[in-house]
Amino acid sequence: MQSSLPIRRRTRRPRAEREAEILEAARAVFAEKGYGATAVAEIAARAGVVEGTVYSYFESKRSLLIAVMKNFFEALIAETASGLSAIRGTENQLRFVIRRQLETFTSDLGLCRVIISEARPDIALYDEAILDLNRRYTGLALAVLEEGVENGTLRSDIVPSVIRDLIYGGIEHAVWRSIFTHREIDVEALTNQLSDALLGGIVRESSSRMVDSDPGGEARARDTITRLERAVERLEARLESPSVRTAGDTP
């Protein structure tokens, strides 16, 4: 006699969803243990799948790392570009770039350590996975610097690409020092210290600096000039009036 109970069919997870879960697991394990010390079996266990399932999505641990880094940089580029588009003024934008990089390091220190100490020294891996993305990311700061030179906010004799390298190199040095000394980074304080040191050497001394640091400064300056011009006009009109005498005109 045949059973009348309905047959239950196993439903497969959407491929994109499963892939995202594996990548999330890989990112977490890489950040905790480092790339070299991580086994694919550990990533599979974290994702809740068997090891063979991981290989059905990614051909190797290396390809997993490449995918993780690409996701990391793509998100960072999008977030930084969006943030810069909402900020006015070269100095304010550079402060944002510095703060954003520090926040990235401190919020995902483990993965950043993998990228810097394990992925970057591997020239082939760096060229394949990081070079273009890193150029796009740091290119955002480079564009701010080049625009600052063009609009007169920054000194015309600086080399924007060198200043860009100083920004990211200085941040990386500060972060590694924090790692080795096991001291937590004060993002706000370090942002101000790095920004002040950098801007003190590259900002062109002019009224544009005051305008950049105060988003409403330009409008207030125009209003002040207009009011002064009107006051001068009224004074000139009074002086031209026959009823107005100066001290030297008194009989």
Side-chain angles (χ1 to χ4, degrees), residues 72 76 79-80 95-109 112 137 171 175 185-188 190-191:
F72 169 79
L76 183 58
E79 291 167 6
T80 304
R95 286 182 183 275
F96 170 78
V97 165
I98 292 171
R99 179 189 297 278
R100 187 70 190 86
Q101 179 73 349
L102 284 169
E103 289 173 342
T104 298
F105 267 113
T106 55
S107 64
D108 211 336
L109 194 58
C112 290
Y137 173 54
I171 292 173
V175 170
I185 292 176
D186 185 333
V187 173
E188 180 69 23
L190 190 52
T191 295

Side-chain angles (χ1 to χ4, degrees), residues 66-77:
I66 290 173
V68 166
M69 291 190 296
K70 285 185 175 180
N71 281 358
F72 169 79
F73 272 104
E74 290 288 359
L76 183 58
I77 290 168

Side-chain angles (χ1 to χ4, degrees), residues 15 21-22 26 29 50-51 56 60 65 71-72 91-92 110 118 135 146 178 190 192 212 217 244:
R15 184 174 180 84
E21 290 175 349
I22 293 172
V29 180
V50 297
E51 188 172 349
S56 69
S60 65
L65 178 61
N71 281 358
F72 169 79
E91 293 187 57
N92 294 328
E118 296 188 81
R135 281 176 177 169
E146 290 174 341
S178 171
L190 190 52
N192 290 333
D212 276 351
V244 177

Side-chain angles (χ1 to χ4, degrees), residues 80-132:
T80 304
S82 176
L84 282 172
S85 67
I87 297 173
R88 181 178 176 277
T90 300
E91 293 187 57
N92 294 328
Q93 288 180 327
L94 287 175
R95 286 182 183 275
F96 170 78
V97 165
I98 292 171
R99 179 189 297 278
R100 187 70 190 86
Q101 179 73 349
L102 284 169
E103 289 173 342
T104 298
F105 267 113
T106 55
S107 64
D108 211 336
L109 194 58
L111 183 60
C112 290
R113 186 190 298 115
V114 169
I115 293 173
I116 293 171
S117 65
E118 296 188 81
R120 193 161 64 185
D122 184 333
I123 297 176
L125 178 62
Y126 182 83
D127 288 347
E128 179 181 356
I130 304 176
L131 182 60
D132 180 61

Side-chain angles (χ1 to χ4, degrees), residues 19-242:
E19 181 177 324
E21 290 175 349
I22 293 172
L23 281 174
E24 183 179 351
R27 177 170 177 158
V29 180
F30 286 150
E32 291 171 9
K33 302 191 64 176
Y35 173 69
T38 294
V40 174
E42 293 175 292
I43 295 172
R46 182 70 64 93
V49 299
V50 297
E51 188 172 349
T53 300
V54 175
Y55 285 113
S56 69
Y57 287 84
F58 302 93
E59 63 180 19
S60 65
K61 186 173 75 168
R62 180 189 180 91
S63 64
L64 256 175
L65 178 61
I66 290 173
V68 166
M69 291 190 296
K70 285 185 175 180
N71 281 358
F72 169 79
F73 272 104
E74 290 288 359
L76 183 58
I77 290 168
E79 291 167 6
T80 304
S82 176
L84 282 172
S85 67
I87 297 173
R88 181 178 176 277
T90 300
E91 293 187 57
N92 294 328
Q93 288 180 327
L94 287 175
R95 286 182 183 275
F96 170 78
V97 165
I98 292 171
R99 179 189 297 278
R100 187 70 190 86
Q101 179 73 349
L102 284 169
E103 289 173 342
T104 298
F105 267 113
T106 55
S107 64
D108 211 336
L109 194 58
L111 183 60
C112 290
R113 186 190 298 115
V114 169
I115 293 173
I116 293 171
S117 65
E118 296 188 81
R120 193 161 64 185
D122 184 333
I123 297 176
L125 178 62
Y126 182 83
D127 288 347
E128 179 181 356
I130 304 176
L131 182 60
D132 180 61
L133 290 166
N134 191 57
R135 281 176 177 169
R136 285 171 53 198
Y137 173 54
T138 60
L140 296 172
L142 182 62
V144 172
L145 290 163
E146 290 174 341
E147 184 178 353
V149 172
E150 185 177 343
N151 65 30
T153 301
L154 304 182
R155 286 167 34 192
S156 60
D157 60 341
I158 69 168
V159 181
S161 60
V162 172
I163 304 302
R164 173 203 58 193
D165 294 344
L166 285 173
I167 291 173
Y168 292 106
I171 292 173
E172 186 176 316
H173 177 77
V175 170
W176 275 116
R177 183 175 59 186
S178 171
I179 292 173
F180 291 134
T181 59
H182 303 287
R183 293 180 180 175
E184 186 176 346
I185 292 176
D186 185 333
V187 173
E188 180 69 23
L190 190 52
T191 295
N192 290 333
Q193 290 170 6
L194 291 174
S195 298
D196 291 344
L198 174 73
L199 294 170
I202 66 174
V203 169
R204 179 172 172 267
E205 292 297 336
S206 68
S207 59
S208 63
R209 180 171 185 175
M210 292 184 291
V211 170
D212 276 351
S213 61
D214 182 1
E218 185 175 1
R220 284 194 292 273
R222 285 198 299 266
D223 181 64
T224 299
I225 291 172
T226 299
R227 286 188 285 108
L228 286 172
E229 288 174 342
R230 289 173 180 170
V232 169
E233 289 173 357
R234 289 195 298 270
L235 179 60
E236 288 176 341
R238 288 190 61 192
L239 291 175
E240 291 172 358
S241 173

